[in-house]
Amino acid sequence: MSDSIAAHHGQRAARRVLLVVALTALALFGLLADIASGPSGLSIGEVLDVLRDAEGVSRSAQVIVWNVRLPVAVMALLVGAALSLAGTEMQTVLENPLAEPFTLGVSSAAALGAGVAIVLGLSLPGLPAIWSVTANAFVFAILSLVILQFAAGSGPTVVILFGIALNFTSGALLALVQFIASADALQQLVFWSMGSLANVRWEGITLVAVVLALTLPFSLRASWALTALRMGAEQAQGFGVNVPGLRRWALLRVSLLAASAVSLVGVIGFVGLAGPHIARIIVGEDHRFLLPASLLTGAVLMSFASILSKLLVPGVLLPIGMVTSLVGLPVFILLILRRGGDMS
């Protein structure tokens, strides 16, 4: 009997590993397809030739790939991975399937920081003007999550209520900043808040990659405790999990992931909410597999959203935050309906 249970467990684990490998392959395909898509159409074979520095590749193809499309595609991949990983940890430690950086006020706080920089011209001293908006958005997002950290010891309900209050407060202050903004500044702020990959730089890509590389090992290390917490706080404590400590460290990782992503590309909704749920449908609740699957699902969603942002209206690059919500939400609802409305 025990051999049969062990064999069944081994088969299920092997199946989940294969699913994570399949998601990795899909994410790589999405990256290549994102690089290939655009006004000057390239095949995936041509993209691979440029990346391998093969002979016979035209100079124009090299410029398009290395200088224009590769930074955007890599940033889309990293931002999707960061937001989805942050959403997974947030939903688990707050025991709420609707928790994500967007709904808990992190994105609103980042938008307020960007608004202060764009409209009022206030930013951290000594920074080049080109980084003022990003720096403000990062600082305000971190501050919002520091406030949530204070409530972490009081339980998930208090954290969520703090997040909702933070969301409304940031939204009200942002509306005030918009009210006094000039026409040009208001247009710039609205475009930023829609989420865009148009102004991606390698310095920003490096920042998101470093934050993801630093936080992911700690997330994976906490995977067993996070899985136990999905059974309930009392059950997890019975297994020896320090639940308040787990929440604090998870919210710290979420702070860094969400702040670095949102501050560099603007407000991106849906990915941090839908990525974890789609990953749960694919691999289940075991966080050893759910965390990497969520990371990859978010990367896939953002890569294909980036492709659609270039193709939906020929000749126009739509803000990617608009695309993730308009196109991704119906897909997400369809997946939920197929599960009979169960989002727990």
Side-chain angles (χ1 to χ4, degrees):
M1 183 66 178
S2 59
D3 290 343
S4 173
I5 293 174
H8 176 70
H9 180 75
Q11 289 173 356
R12 192 164 58 176
R15 176 176 166 274
R16 288 171 172 169
V17 169
L18 287 176
L19 288 170
V20 171
V21 172
L23 282 172
T24 305
L26 186 59
L28 290 174
F29 174 77
L31 175 69
L32 293 174
D34 193 8
I35 298 172
S37 63
S40 300
L42 297 172
S43 67
I44 289 182
E46 289 175 307
V47 172
L48 289 173
D49 285 343
V50 173
L51 296 177
R52 288 181 305 175
D53 196 21
E55 293 183 0
V57 176
S58 67
R59 176 63 183 162
S60 61
Q62 290 180 346
V63 171
I64 289 172
V65 170
W66 286 108
N67 295 357
V68 180
R69 295 187 186 169
L70 184 62
V72 171
V74 173
M75 181 61 105
L77 201 78
L78 292 173
V79 166
L83 290 178
S84 190
L85 181 62
T88 303
E89 292 212 57
M90 197 173 261
Q91 288 169 12
T92 298
V93 298
L94 298 182
E95 303 174 50
N96 190 309
L98 298 178
E100 62 134 342
F102 187 81
T103 56
L104 287 185
V106 180
S107 298
S108 298
L112 175 61
V116 169
I118 294 170
V119 177
L120 305 178
L122 300 176
S123 184
L124 297 176
L127 269 181
I130 197 171
W131 288 106
S132 61
V133 175
T134 299
N136 265 29
F138 184 84
V139 169
F140 275 64
I142 287 289
L143 287 176
S144 70
L145 285 158
V146 167
I147 294 172
L148 293 179
Q149 282 276 2
F150 282 116
S154 303
T157 303
V158 176
V159 176
I160 292 169
L161 290 175
F162 262 70
I164 292 172
L166 192 65
N167 204 359
F168 278 104
T169 305
S170 299
L173 291 173
L174 180 62
L176 179 62
V177 171
Q178 290 173 330
F179 183 74
I180 63 174
S182 67
D184 288 343
L186 182 61
Q187 184 181 26
Q188 189 180 348
L189 178 56
V190 169
F191 186 76
W192 185 92
S193 65
M194 290 179 178
S196 174
L197 298 170
N199 298 315
V200 166
R201 299 182 183 85
W202 281 110
E203 295 90 338
I205 293 171
T206 304
L207 173 64
V208 181
V210 168
V211 170
L212 198 54
L214 289 176
T215 53
L216 181 59
F218 292 99
S219 298
L220 294 175
R221 187 179 176 187
S223 60
W224 180 87
L226 291 168
T227 304
L229 187 58
R230 286 292 291 170
M231 302 177 194
E234 292 184 2
Q235 189 82 5
Q237 285 173 335
F239 290 140
V241 175
N242 177 4
V243 174
L246 179 65
R247 285 201 179 105
R248 285 196 180 90
W249 283 109
L251 285 176
L252 177 62
R253 293 191 292 272
V254 168
S255 308
L256 293 172
L257 289 167
S260 60
V262 174
S263 64
L264 287 162
V265 301
V267 179
I268 304 288
F270 172 74
V271 175
L273 174 67
H277 286 293
I278 294 173
R280 281 194 181 91
I281 293 172
I282 295 172
V283 300
E285 289 292 348
D286 189 336
H287 281 60
R288 293 175 302 168
F289 306 100
L290 177 59
L291 291 174
S294 294
L295 182 148
L296 291 165
T297 304
V300 169
L301 287 174
M302 277 292 287
S303 287
F304 284 95
S306 176
I307 294 169
L308 288 173
S309 72
K310 291 181 276 188
L311 301 182
L312 282 178
V313 181
V316 176
L317 179 63
L318 294 175
I320 193 167
M322 184 192 303
V323 176
T324 57
S325 298
L326 284 178
V327 179
L329 195 56
V331 176
F332 177 57
I333 291 174
L334 180 63
L335 289 170
I336 295 300
L337 291 177
R338 288 188 62 184
R339 295 188 72 191
D342 182 14
M343 289 181 66
S344 60

